[in-house]
Amino acid sequence: MSAYFLYARKSTDVEDKQVRSIEDQLAVLRILAKEQGLHITAEFVEKQSAKIPGRPVFNEMLSRIERGEAKGVVCWKLDRLARNPVDGGQISWFLQRGTIQHIRTYERDYYSADNMLLMSVEFGMANQFILDLAANTKRGLDEKVKRGEYPSLAPIGYLNDRARKTIVVHKAGAKVVKAAFELYAEGNSRLEDIANFFAKHGFAAECGKPMTRQRVTYILSNPFYYGLFRYNKELHEGKHQPIISKKLFDDVQAVMKRRGWQDRKENDPRPLCGLIKCGECGAMITAETKIKRHKNGNVHTYTYYRCTKKTGVCSQPFIREELLNVQLAEAIKSYALPEAWAADLYERADKDEAEAVRSSASASQAMREEIAAITDKLQRLHRLYLDEDIERDVYRQEKADLLSRKKSLEEEMADLNKGAISWLEPLRDWIKDAENLRE
């Protein structure tokens, strides 16, 4: 009795679209082999796509067939054995020269003496299915990109809405992402600090540890968060809701560039350092934190300011932060804004408000015209690329620059329209505070 190998395969990348699962294939083929009187000496199970050569289980089975351990193969369909011309040709060659004498599928038999044309057609159809699938998938992804839809998994701060096939903001996650950008933009945090910040709020690596520096860098440099996205090495305008502003994103990139992508641990700055000098020698004032642990278990933290004494000998001692605050309060009282000055500043602020409203209208019009010009440039750039008048790398760079400028203008115009006079309210608050310094 000739020995047969049973081969079952299922592509893991299309798990939910398979006609038969591995378990179903095995169960049906075992019954089929028993009914046909085929002696199965080994079963080979593989969970891998057959669209490219190099399947380890499949290659092991062919090697054992070549050594004479079996003369036949039982499988669900021929496309389980091969969906590429290399593996398909090898099966056909083995069958043609008699290395494989019989292939039994659920639907029919294939023998060495048969005309190879039918098998070649079936393998060709299986290979063409893969080619069509790849082309259709790429075409579908390209169409999504044209519509401004990101064709991949949503980044941190967003969710894939599978019902509507779109990407939506994850409210809790978005707040964490925005806070991380703001924290790094301040310039006092390392990438490790941002990773710990994410971990503290429930966003860590799969092992439970904080993200790597590379992962944090990728997040902080991802344009997706301000409304654009990268696909096929190009920037595209997205329909998704931005989490951060383009300005905040640019601020973060500036910090990264300034630090040369190398984070340094910086000392925790004290509020008055850099603002006051020693009254005796003129050197700058610095601060130190001291922790006092009492025998009863209480712990107190104190901040002391002192002269750096960099200009020479100075007799001034340390001073507690609380006492220094009292001295400063007394000194500040003499700088209270006179009432007449305050009234004049309020009047000037009112005039500036009226002027700002008039100027913002003309500025907005100029921005709208520039945005329209950029849109026209993008269309002409695309036509040049389609006509093969410019190189792909040049096209990508020009497109990225134009999209970035367009996004910045849109944000500036929005800020201008809603905040042309937003600076006046803080100014009025400052005038009020300066007027009330004596209190």
Side-chain angles (χ1 to χ4, degrees), residues 312-358:
V313 180
C314 182
S315 63
Q316 293 300 315
F318 286 87
I319 183 172
R320 281 264 299 274
E321 184 178 38
E322 295 84 352
L323 297 176
L324 181 58
N325 286 339
V326 172
Q327 293 182 15
L328 287 173
E330 289 297 322
I332 287 173
K333 285 182 180 179
S334 61
Y335 294 95
L337 190 67
E339 292 183 6
W341 292 16
D344 182 57
L345 287 173
Y346 280 130
E347 183 179 350
R348 291 171 181 265
D350 293 338
K351 291 180 179 179
D352 284 344
E353 181 175 2
E355 177 61 28
V357 172
R358 287 193 297 270

Side-chain angles (χ1 to χ4, degrees), residues 198-242:
F198 275 121
K200 179 181 177 181
H201 291 84
F203 295 96
E206 293 182 359
C207 60
K209 295 182 179 180
M211 300 176 188
T212 63
R213 286 168 53 93
Q214 291 75 14
R215 178 63 176 162
V216 174
T217 298
Y218 175 78
I219 293 173
L220 295 179
S221 58
N222 190 350
F224 193 92
Y225 293 110
Y226 73 86
L228 304 182
F229 65 87
R230 293 191 189 98
Y231 175 73
N232 197 21
K233 298 182 180 180
E234 289 183 27
L235 272 181
H236 302 270
E237 291 185 274
K239 293 174 64 177
H240 59 278
Q241 179 182 342

